[in-house]
Amino acid sequence: MMPSVNGYNSIGPSVSRMDWLKEQFNIIMFSLYSESPNPSDSWIPIAAYFAVGIVSLLVFLYLLSLWRRKISVSWMKVIARSKRKNFERNQKAPTAEHIWSAESLLRAKGLKCCVCLESISPAQPLGPMITSENTVHRCDVCGAAAHTICSSNSQRDCKCVSLFGSKHVVHQWTVLWTDIADQPEEAQYCSHCEEPCNGSFLGGPIYCCMWCQRLVHVDCHSNMSTEAGDICDLGPFRRLILSPLFVMTKNKPGGILSSITHGANEFASTVRGHLRSRTRRQKRHNRLPSDSTAGESNDDSSSDTTAYSNQRAMDAKANVGSFQRYADNELYSSESDCKEVVSEPVRLYNDDAGGAKLTYVLTDLPADARPLLVFINKRSGAQRGDSLKHRLHFLLNPVQVFELSSSQGPEAGLLLFRKVPHFRILVCGGDGTVGWVLDAIDRQNYESPPPVAILPAGTGNDLSRVLSWGGGLGSVEKQGGLCTVLHDIEHAAVTILDRWKVTVEDKQAKNVLLVKYMNNYLGIGCDAKVALDIHNLREENPEKFYSQFLNKVLYAREGAKSMIDRTFVDLPWQVRLEVDGAEIDIPEDSEGVLVANIPSYMGGVDLWQNEDEDNADNFDPQSIHDKVLEVVSISGTWHLGTLQVGLSRARRIAQGQSIKLQFSAPFPVQVDGEPWVQHACTLKISHHGQAFMLKRTIEASLGHAAAIVTDVIEHAETSKLITASQKRALIQEMALRLA
């Protein structure tokens, strides 16, 4: 028999085999098409493959970034260590020692140690105790950071603030390990090869001049030094920077006698400390029983030693916490040589001078110099004073940056700049800080007061809004950072701000109880009550006020609390208002009265609304330099809230040059955000004077024109072509024209 498969002969004619193959193919195709596939099932493997591909790609990119970071950091360290030796050997600029101060590790996040080149970042959440493991050292001058165990081994490469006697300022290069967000985009390129300094794949250290802010690759530094030289022109802000060529360092007056006296005091203090320790040990030995253990006998001694060490540490920190902090009798004026002197702090870890503090003297400034005097209030609003101080120290000369505190006011900086012909002032703080500085300027009796710019670091920043400097530090960062602010200050227009004297007298108007000065507004009633509650909360819990946004939230919360309790419904009958000698009726539904000098209140609310076309009450438009005040009323805390969101407007009452308010009952009062409770009294507001302010110009052409006109006026005053009073009149006229 012939073998067969399914009825067909395996060895037969070719036609039979072809028929068999066709039949088998038809059977397979029929079995495939007989089962109808589910369309949704066909996408499952496709989606799975796609998801696996995406995850694999992300994992690959993550591993690539880790590898790139590791290689980059390794190369950066190798290059920095290898080239730093040659760089320091060829460094021609004089350098100074770092001024270290302790700073929280959280504030140093993202920085690198300038000694070991390792990253400085908190490894775990910090507890309530502040120890050497969770604090770092930060240089008060150049902003460099170092671990506490590394700072003593740091190089002598800090910014040298005094080069008196030198002919030129020389580039002072430093390794830039931090970001360069403050610099404009066109300045983030190498000054030699014009390639980006932050866009390379492997990265690398960048040299940055601490005076002109120019950047250069490490490979380009030697070539740039050979071709262009080492003379520094101080960069784009040369007119605002206090050149170190005109800053002289001299010892505190007293000479050898002062040193001998200081040494004798130190020796006597050491002897007294040993005697006190011996006396304590003797008393404790006599007080303890004979069978006391050694551990018990040492308890009090260790606690005393710890307390004494903590006190010494606090004293040392207080001495170096502020760059221009000075003690009484350490500030003096030498009228004979027309120089002003301000003391310098003791340098931590470097006490070679034997404790003798150094002083700075400004002398021989050129006529076209316009240095910027900076005041920083660390407690204002967002409390970012430390960050601002470090950045401004790097952009400017640290000698011209002063930190305000309860122990040091603006007088120290104003005294240092007393003989500078023309300078400008930058106030980093809120409206209260601006008023503090303006009061200090008034006390100096300048013939031609310096104009004041504002870096808004408070909560409301109403005066800063009116002068177009912004409503907070967030808006400043969006506009380009501190470099943009410095550029705007150089091209700002000088304007005039009315200042008012607030005199509080007793009910019979015979004795003066209090005198304050107002720049923005004065409030009585419900708005002052909210400000007073916030002030008390800030004094009790200062840690809650660490951001501008949260401060506003707390304001809203306190306002909501007093919304139901209508405490000041009797205000129209307990407060008598007089404007320019005429009695003005307060509306019966009023729970607060506001006297405004500027068109911004409570973070940008325009109480007077000059743009309102419906001027049925025939009042004049509001101006900050017309010597006229505006008086409005508000009907409660709810009215304040609707004003904030633009759903209502304040009620206009009067305009005048002299305001008189008589209280028959206690009321909360606030002047520029400073609140207190005032008992029955007579409150008078009169014109005090006018201050020169700097207004940021939105249009570039207008800003350049205003800067040129201001320079011409100041040059004419310097050349004795016009007097200070004539200069004031010209600037007032220019302010009116620009307004």
Side-chain angles (χ1 to χ4, degrees), residues 652-663:
R652 299 180 179 183
I653 297 179
Q655 279 182 309
Q657 298 179 338
S658 176
I659 310 294
K660 182 178 179 181
L661 294 159
Q662 292 181 330
F663 299 172

Side-chain angles (χ1 to χ4, degrees), residues 197-208:
C197 288
N198 56 353
S200 61
F201 178 73
L202 292 178
I206 304 299
Y207 287 154
C208 178

Side-chain angles (χ1 to χ4, degrees), residues 659-727:
I659 310 294
K660 182 178 179 181
L661 294 159
Q662 292 181 330
F663 299 172
S664 59
F667 279 97
V669 181
Q670 62 103 355
V671 174
D672 294 346
E674 182 181 352
W676 74 94
V677 176
Q678 183 60 53
H679 295 278
C681 69
T682 299
L683 190 149
K684 298 179 181 179
I685 307 176
S686 59
H687 192 263
H688 172 66
Q690 291 181 319
F692 287 158
M693 306 297 294
L694 289 174
K695 184 175 183 179
R696 177 175 172 266
T697 53
I698 306 300
E699 301 178 5
S701 58
L702 182 62
H704 287 288
I708 292 173
V709 172
T710 303
D711 284 343
V712 170
I713 294 176
E714 291 178 345
H715 178 72
E717 183 192 16
T718 303
S719 303
K720 306 298 182 181
L721 299 177
I722 60 175
T723 62
S725 60
Q726 291 173 333
K727 172 193 170 183

